[in-house]
Amino acid sequence: QGQVGALPLTLALMVDTSASQHTFIGDESEAGIVFVESMLKGPEDRATVVRFDSTVSQIGTLTHSVGALAMALSTLGASGYQYQARPGPGAKGPQISAGGTLLNDAIYATARNLLAAQSGRKAMVILTDGCDFGSKTTQAQAIEQAVRAEVQIYSVLYSAFNGSNHSNGFSCDGLTPGLGNPGLHVLEDLSSSTGGRVFTVTQNLSLREIFAHIG
């Protein structure tokens, strides 16, 4: 990146802002600013911020401006933020208005509505605990759309259970809770199916270090 002849980069930094993730939003915002600044080297490189919980919202437009992206990231933890709903697959009515984590819908909509039309290198970097509650899109459909749009998904598992050997009875998918982080297998599928990678934030591996690896 930044070299003569390098293909332009289009990056969607996607942040889970559901209730389970509020503890991490401050760290994600600060680390995200450093990350996008390091990634936007070429004059045609652009990025955007997408937040998702019970709705999916792109904050601002694709831009090369680090200042604009920093402003977008600063709104992630704002109390009373007014979400701008984006249509799901087929625009089949409004998304649910309370509760939920529309991970699959966010991937599908961002790949189809935003990244598919872009040229060059395309990637999503998703910060989440890997849980989906309420999406109309299945994980398989989300992956299919990302592959069709030639988007690589880099997943970052940021969870209260990181570094733990047990999920404390928590389950993402309604199945019997087991050992480990319950959303990890979801993110592994998303990343491996699209040529990306999955990382886990732990006491020994910070989000900033993970962003450096992705870069």
Side-chain angles (χ1 to χ4, degrees):
Q1 62 198 48
Q3 298 178 350
V4 175
L7 293 173
L9 171 68
T10 304
L11 174 70
L13 182 58
M14 304 176 63
V15 184
D16 181 348
T17 52
S18 60
S20 64
Q21 296 298 100
H22 280 186
T23 303
F24 314 122
I25 288 178
D27 184 35
E28 291 169 345
S29 297
E30 292 178 5
I33 294 170
V34 176
F35 175 59
V36 295
E37 184 173 16
S38 70
M39 296 300 292
L40 301 182
K41 296 298 186 181
E44 297 181 2
D45 293 344
R46 295 182 299 165
T48 191
V49 177
V50 175
R51 61 182 294 159
F52 61 95
D53 41 47
S54 61
T55 59
V56 182
S57 176
Q58 179 185 348
I59 307 176
T61 60
L62 281 171
T63 180
H64 185 75
S65 169
V66 175
L69 292 165
M71 182 66 69
L73 286 164
S74 72
T75 70
L76 292 176
S79 176
Y81 186 92
Q82 297 299 309
Y83 297 99
Q84 177 184 354
R86 293 173 65 86
K92 299 177 181 178
Q95 295 167 330
I96 57 177
S97 59
T101 308
L102 305 186
L103 172 60
N104 293 336
D105 283 356
I107 294 169
Y108 186 103
T110 302
R112 187 192 67 173
N113 299 341
L114 180 67
L115 297 178
Q118 309 304 316
S119 59
R121 298 169 295 152
K122 294 176 282 188
M124 294 181 191
V125 176
I126 306 176
L127 310 179
T128 181
D129 58 11
C131 296
D132 184 291
F133 296 107
S135 281
K136 296 178 181 179
T137 310
T138 66
Q139 182 182 348
Q141 289 172 324
I143 290 173
E144 179 184 10
Q145 187 63 44
V147 170
R148 185 178 303 166
E150 300 181 324
V151 175
Q152 290 182 306
I153 296 177
Y154 292 86
S155 306
V156 180
L157 180 69
Y158 211 160
S159 168
F161 307 112
N162 291 355
S164 168
N165 290 323
H166 199 279
S167 66
N168 264 351
F170 179 72
S171 173
C172 287
D173 52 17
L175 302 177
T176 302
L179 296 177
N181 293 291
L184 181 58
H185 71 282
V186 172
L187 301 184
E188 288 175 339
D189 287 346
L190 290 170
S191 292
S192 64
S193 298
T194 59
R197 287 185 60 187
V198 61
F199 299 86
T200 300
V201 179
T202 67
Q203 291 182 342
N204 298 319
L205 186 62
S206 71
L207 181 57
R208 291 197 183 204
E209 291 172 314
I210 288 172
F211 277 157
H213 284 300
I214 294 174

